[in-house]
Amino acid sequence: MPASLRNPPARDVSLSAIVAGLVSVLVGFSGTAVLMVQAGHTAGLDAAHIGSWLGSICLVVGLGGLILSLRSRIPVVLAWSTPGAALLVTALAGVPFDQAVGAFVLASALTLACGLFGWIDPIMRRVPIEIASAMLAGVLLNFGLGIFTRIGEQPALVLAMCAAYLIGKRWAPRYAVLAVLVTGLGFVAAMGQLQLGNVDWQLTQFVWTTPVFTWQAAISLAVPIFMVALASQNLPGLAILQAAGYPVAASRLVGATGFLGLLAAPFGAHSVTLAAITAAICTGPEAHPDPARRYIAGAVSGATYILLSVVAGAVAVFFQALPPALIAALTGLALLGAILGGLAGAMSNPARREAALITLLATASGFTAWGIGSAFWGLAAGLVAHWVLEYKRR
């Protein structure tokens, strides 16, 4: 759309997009922020350095998501590398933190190089939309199943949230997720299930650590962080945007994550990537029926991360106090529309259904190898199947 024909962002704001942005932050923070806290403890960091790690990564993720969403009018949601954080829980043991920061800088520089040299766009041009949609459905499928696997833990809570979703979809579909969120939080508050006594609302101190570069840290930390971020989050994140119908400058987006990572690394941030699961919340129909107005969800997500960066360490503790069943049910219900869209897109072309099904099954399997998650392997399996089956027809 030409810039002259675009509505001002204020005219595109909607409650459903605001809720989608807030839910994406809730899901992202509650699920994986604790990994960075654990990795910080492994490295022997004090509370100030751990808070700086969380705060700096929230700040650049928020600024990047806000600016990119408003400029591109696409719901661009950024995140930290979850598999990278999981890797660091054990890999930081015995590594001086200044050397670890040097590895963080190198990993971000490698990501920036991929963007500057345009290595990502050729990859994405070779991914059929059916394969991308199947990967999206496979990534999100277990979150949908989580609605029902968590019923046994707290049946009243989960069933109340499901009832709120169905009632909302029937009479106010744009606000169904808001109804779920309000119902869930109201229920746990009424039952006294919020354990907030350990939350210490101290402001974040941004602590500079001068990077030190060593071959050992480069091999053991930088290269694995770069590889898992690219394979497990950046490529799936791009595929999710593609499956939602958004034209993306893939190399530019990936390069932007590398640049933001370079800015935040000296303050402890290990990696900045495109979001995958939380991006699906902002790119799906629950955010807004009109895809051209969903970018507001990405902007709200970014603005929220900026606010959270001020008290990031305390927020991580707060989200740990929420019942896991609430997070699982909220995530699954918020992603139902995205799962449906992924399945519909995957099966839309009869000639590519087998390859799409292979992609979906491999992605949903949870298979990992060499520290790389199933999203990448599902994409790889689907592309191999697609090439073989298309070759047979020629």
Side-chain angles (χ1 to χ4, degrees):
M1 180 185 296
S4 60
L5 299 180
R6 292 176 174 177
N7 289 331
R11 294 185 60 184
D12 288 334
V13 171
S14 64
L15 182 58
S16 58
I18 292 173
V19 171
L22 294 175
V23 169
S24 73
V25 174
L26 175 63
V27 170
F29 224 110
S30 63
T32 61
V34 67
L35 292 174
M36 288 181 280
V37 177
Q38 292 173 344
H41 290 155
T42 299
L45 301 181
D46 58 22
H49 280 83
I50 293 175
S52 179
W53 185 340
L54 286 163
S56 61
I57 206 165
C58 284
L59 183 59
V60 296
V61 160
L63 284 172
L66 176 63
I67 293 171
L68 290 170
S69 294
L70 292 178
R71 289 195 64 182
S72 67
R73 299 299 177 99
I74 291 173
V76 178
V77 182
L78 303 183
W80 48 80
S81 172
T82 298
L87 175 101
L88 293 172
V89 170
T90 56
L92 279 182
V95 179
F97 193 61
D98 55 358
Q99 295 183 23
V101 168
F104 300 164
V105 170
L106 180 56
S108 295
L110 291 171
T111 303
L112 177 59
C114 285
L116 291 177
F117 290 108
W119 294 337
I120 307 300
D121 290 290
I123 296 174
M124 296 310 300
R125 282 196 295 267
R126 288 168 173 77
V127 178
I129 187 63
E130 295 84 2
I131 302 298
S133 297
M135 193 212 67
L136 168 63
V139 166
L140 304 180
L141 184 61
N142 284 320
F143 292 93
L145 295 174
I147 301 170
F148 304 98
T149 57
R150 293 284 185 173
I151 287 181
E153 295 179 12
Q154 292 190 264
L157 169 63
V158 176
L159 290 175
M161 294 173 73
C162 289
Y165 178 81
L166 292 175
I167 293 170
K169 289 295 288 186
R170 174 61 182 85
W171 282 283
R174 286 180 56 185
Y175 309 114
V177 176
L178 175 61
V180 172
L181 177 61
V182 171
T183 299
L185 291 176
F187 188 96
V188 298
M191 300 299 292
Q193 295 177 355
L194 290 178
Q195 306 297 325
L196 303 180
N198 294 326
V199 180
D200 184 6
W201 296 99
Q202 291 188 1
L203 297 180
T204 300
Q205 302 177 47
F206 292 94
V207 182
W208 174 276
T209 299
T210 301
V212 173
F213 300 95
T214 65
W215 286 109
Q216 294 88 340
I219 294 171
S220 64
L221 294 179
V223 173
I225 290 172
F226 163 70
M227 290 298 297
V228 298
L230 181 63
S232 297
Q233 287 194 242
N234 279 327
L235 292 181
L238 290 167
I240 283 172
L241 287 171
Q242 180 178 319
Y246 292 105
V248 292
S251 293
R252 287 186 182 181
L253 282 179
V254 171
T257 66
F259 174 72
L260 292 167
L262 279 176
L263 294 179
F267 298 96
H270 67 289
S271 181
V272 176
T273 69
L274 293 171
I277 285 94
T278 53
I281 297 172
C282 295
T283 59
E286 304 296 340
H288 199 280
D290 182 0
R293 297 179 65 181
R294 294 173 191 167
Y295 73 94
I296 295 296
V300 169
S301 175
T304 305
Y305 273 118
I306 294 172
L307 295 175
L308 293 182
S309 70
V310 179
V311 287
V315 172
V317 176
F318 168 78
F319 281 125
Q320 290 177 53
L322 296 176
L326 183 151
I327 300 298
L330 175 63
T331 305
L333 291 168
L335 289 171
L336 283 182
I339 296 171
L340 179 60
L343 290 172
M347 300 300 150
S348 61
N349 185 348
R352 294 178 175 172
R353 282 178 183 167
E354 285 184 87
L357 180 61
I358 291 170
T359 303
L360 188 152
L361 295 175
T363 303
S365 71
F367 170 78
T368 61
W370 300 293
I372 298 175
S374 61
F376 173 79
W377 298 117
L379 188 63
L383 290 174
V384 170
H386 168 71
W387 182 83
V388 172
L389 295 173
E390 290 289 310
Y391 178 81
K392 287 171 60 178
R393 294 190 182 97
R394 292 191 180 104

